[in-house]
Amino acid sequence: MNNVQEESLRDQKKFRRRLQIVEIARGIISAKGLRSLKVRDVAEAAGCSVGSVYNEFGDFDGVILTVNRETVQALTARLRGVPAEDPVRQLYGLAETYLDFFAAHANLLRSLFEHRMEDDRPYPDDILQMVMDAFALMHPPLVRLLPDADDVKIALLSRTLFSAVHGIISLGLEERMVAVPPQMLRQQIEQFVDTHLAGLGIAGLGIAGLGIRPLR
Amino acid sequence: MNNVQEESLRDQKKFRRRLQIVEIARGIISAKGLRSLKVRDVAEAAGCSVGSVYNEFGDFDGVILTVNRETVQALTARLRGVPAEDPVRQLYGLAETYLDFFAAHANLLRSLFEHRMEDDRPYPDDILQMVMDAFALMHPPLVRLLPDADDVKIALLSRTLFSAVHGIISLGLEERMVAVPPQMLRQQIEQFVDTHLAGLGIAGLGIAGLGIRPLR
DNA sequence: TGTACATCAGTGAACGCGCGTTCACTGATGTAC
DNA sequence: TGTACATCAGTGAACGCGCGTTCACTGATGTAC
């Protein structure tokens, strides 16, 4: 018996179960949407009782928030992987990576943005912070492209770009109000970034034009 | 007794009750959000029984959809009121009017965009059509500004602009993920339109700049 | 190594509540004569 | 105008179901000696 902190058999099982529950919950949200997530379904699919879910997560919101937390983390990891050599390409890359991630995990992203807590409890700060950090990834390339702009303006611009791109993608993928065929979304996003950068006085990559070359 | 189609006393009462129910429901959605709308509350506040609500609307979705329908109608009316003399000013006007309407009726707009039907029944076509018509109001000014662009490109551009502005406003008003102080939202929208029009090669109004004049 | 006791995760039936929906009944309004 | 009957909106208690949550109990794992 060594004294190094070691996981007991109990703790290992508990940990595996926890992972299992989260995995199942994520699968259900991803496939059928947050509104279709039920404790009983999770418990059954995870091969345990509903009590165990409560044992591990306190309440059902705990499960949802864990999934959402991991969703931001995965998104952030993907965004961090965008090459940063060229700031213009980086901005395109961030937008396209967001699109790809959103398209692949639409219901997970919706869960992240739409989940409301019970009885007005506040949304966990760490998750909000991670979302902020994620779109702060636009700051460095923007600073490089607009060396004269101060921090406040960069921050505002990055919020604008994020919200705009988010709006185009989320309404676009919904296919309800704004009927854009999914295969055109990428083109639409590229066009958007192109035009917006041009408006900032930055020459874009000129992809998928309107027949109008920005800053020709 | 004349034969001209006249409303019976019964019909009048029925009609007033219907208006009353819709009015109450709108008030509740607007004040507390769609999720807080309950048949019993509506009936009590309207001074009738829950049965009457069902009598008039078939099911509860019927009430919600009626409110949503009137929301798009009100929005469209406001957007049609934007002066059309100058196409550039018209585009700014449409964006700002949308912002004002959204800010004043945030929960009604959210109800319009977020409401999902029970058991996958399709969302009523007339409402979807009205939303499409609303943002098709951008077409004429865009056509005037970009006479060389074909219809498809104009349509795509208007969808992009609508989604982007919608994203900026809806995330902005939510104050959760994207913490923009409400009084800055107007400035943010103006800046966005400014920059995007500049990117399209159109001189904007140059409001609220980044310290960078588009197409200087 | 073995035994006795302590701990604590796991269990799932039962609880409780919210809430949309129904339906047999009532009574006001409309119609016929 | 009055009376008798028909119609149909209005009523609200009761239904039914979904679903998050609890809790007394079980049994596996850990600890002490």
Side-chain angles (χ1 to χ4, degrees):
Chain A
M1 176 192 314
N2 60 40
N3 270 337
V4 191
Q5 62 188 62
E6 62 184 346
E7 264 195 336
S8 63
L9 180 53
R10 249 187 206 164
D11 291 345
Q12 284 176 42
K13 281 189 170 179
K14 201 163 141 60
F15 184 67
R16 267 199 297 265
R17 170 141 295 167
R18 185 184 175 88
L19 291 184
Q20 171 80 337
I21 291 171
V22 173
E23 196 59 40
I24 296 288
R26 175 167 34 243
I28 294 176
I29 296 179
S30 191
K32 302 193 293 179
L34 178 57
R35 294 199 324 165
S36 300
L37 187 70
K38 314 290 171 197
V39 211
R40 281 169 184 74
D41 293 347
V42 172
E44 191 186 358
C48 68
S49 66
V50 294
S52 290
V53 177
Y54 280 82
N55 231 357
E56 190 57 38
F57 293 92
D59 58 17
F60 201 45
D61 258 10
V63 181
I64 298 168
L65 290 174
T66 303
V67 172
N68 286 352
R69 190 171 283 112
E70 294 186 7
T71 299
V72 210
Q73 281 163 347
L75 170 63
T76 305
R78 287 279 295 274
L79 293 175
R80 282 194 207 286
V82 172
E85 294 86 44
D86 178 56
V88 170
R89 283 185 194 281
Q90 188 178 2
L91 289 175
Y92 281 86
L94 289 170
E96 282 166 18
T97 303
Y98 191 53
L99 167 61
D100 291 342
F101 191 88
F102 209 137
H105 311 288
N107 281 329
L108 293 179
L109 263 288
R110 290 191 191 113
S111 166
L112 175 62
F113 280 91
E114 289 172 14
H115 177 54
R116 296 287 169 279
M117 308 289 290
E118 291 300 307
D119 17 83
D120 298 327
R121 271 184 296 176
Y123 205 79
D125 266 337
D126 66 317
I127 297 186
L128 295 181
Q129 192 56 52
M130 284 193 285
V131 174
M132 309 262 222
D133 290 350
F135 73 77
L137 290 172
M138 278 186 289
H139 288 189
L142 285 174
V143 168
R144 287 170 72 187
L145 291 169
L146 302 170
D148 295 338
D150 64 41
D151 283 0
V152 176
K153 283 173 181 168
I154 292 289
L156 191 63
L157 180 57
S158 74
R159 281 194 287 243
T160 299
L161 282 172
F162 171 79
S163 309
V165 169
H166 177 86
I168 295 170
I169 294 174
S170 67
L171 287 188
L173 288 176
E174 203 145 352
E175 286 182 71
R176 194 166 78 164
M177 305 285 181
V178 181
V180 176
Q183 64 273 23
M184 287 201 66
L185 250 182
R186 166 172 295 262
Q187 209 185 340
Q188 198 185 357
I189 288 291
E190 284 167 354
Q191 175 64 58
F192 171 80
V193 174
D194 226 41
T195 305
H196 210 79
L197 290 187
L200 292 167
I202 298 162
L205 298 181
I207 317 168
L210 256 183
I212 296 169
R213 285 275 66 75
L215 291 184
R216 166 197 350 221
Chain B
M1 174 192 311
N2 60 40
N3 271 337
V4 191
Q5 63 186 63
E6 62 185 347
E7 263 195 335
S8 64
L9 179 55
R10 248 186 206 166
D11 291 346
Q12 285 176 40
K13 281 190 170 178
K14 202 162 141 60
F15 184 65
R16 268 198 297 265
R17 170 141 295 166
R18 185 185 174 87
L19 291 184
Q20 171 80 336
I21 291 171
V22 173
E23 196 58 41
I24 296 289
R26 174 167 35 241
I28 294 175
I29 296 178
S30 191
K32 304 192 293 178
L34 178 59
R35 292 198 327 164
S36 301
L37 187 70
K38 314 291 171 195
V39 211
R40 282 170 185 71
D41 293 347
V42 172
E44 192 186 359
C48 68
S49 65
V50 294
S52 290
V53 177
Y54 280 82
N55 230 356
E56 190 56 38
F57 293 92
D59 60 16
F60 202 45
D61 258 10
V63 182
I64 299 167
L65 291 175
T66 303
V67 172
N68 286 354
R69 191 171 283 113
E70 295 186 6
T71 299
V72 211
Q73 281 164 348
L75 170 63
T76 305
R78 287 279 294 274
L79 293 176
R80 284 195 206 285
V82 172
E85 294 86 43
D86 180 57
V88 169
R89 284 185 194 283
Q90 188 179 2
L91 288 175
Y92 280 87
L94 289 170
E96 283 167 18
T97 302
Y98 191 54
L99 168 59
D100 292 341
F101 192 87
F102 209 137
H105 311 287
N107 281 329
L108 293 179
L109 263 288
R110 289 191 191 113
S111 166
L112 176 62
F113 280 92
E114 288 171 14
H115 177 55
R116 295 287 170 279
M117 308 290 289
E118 291 300 306
D119 17 82
D120 297 326
R121 271 182 298 175
Y123 205 78
D125 267 336
D126 65 317
I127 298 186
L128 297 181
Q129 192 56 52
M130 285 192 286
V131 175
M132 309 261 221
D133 290 350
F135 72 78
L137 289 172
M138 277 186 291
H139 288 189
L142 286 174
V143 168
R144 288 171 70 187
L145 291 168
L146 302 169
D148 294 339
D150 64 41
D151 284 358
V152 176
K153 282 173 180 168
I154 292 288
L156 192 64
L157 180 56
S158 73
R159 281 195 287 242
T160 300
L161 282 172
F162 172 78
S163 309
V165 168
H166 177 86
I168 295 170
I169 294 174
S170 66
L171 287 187
L173 289 176
E174 205 147 351
E175 287 181 73
R176 194 167 77 164
M177 305 285 181
V178 180
V180 175
Q183 64 274 22
M184 288 201 64
L185 249 182
R186 166 172 295 264
Q187 210 184 340
Q188 199 185 357
I189 288 292
E190 284 168 354
Q191 175 63 57
F192 172 79
V193 175
D194 227 41
T195 306
H196 210 79
L197 290 186
L200 291 167
I202 299 163
L205 298 181
I207 318 168
L210 256 182
I212 296 169
R213 284 277 65 75
L215 291 183
R216 165 198 349 221

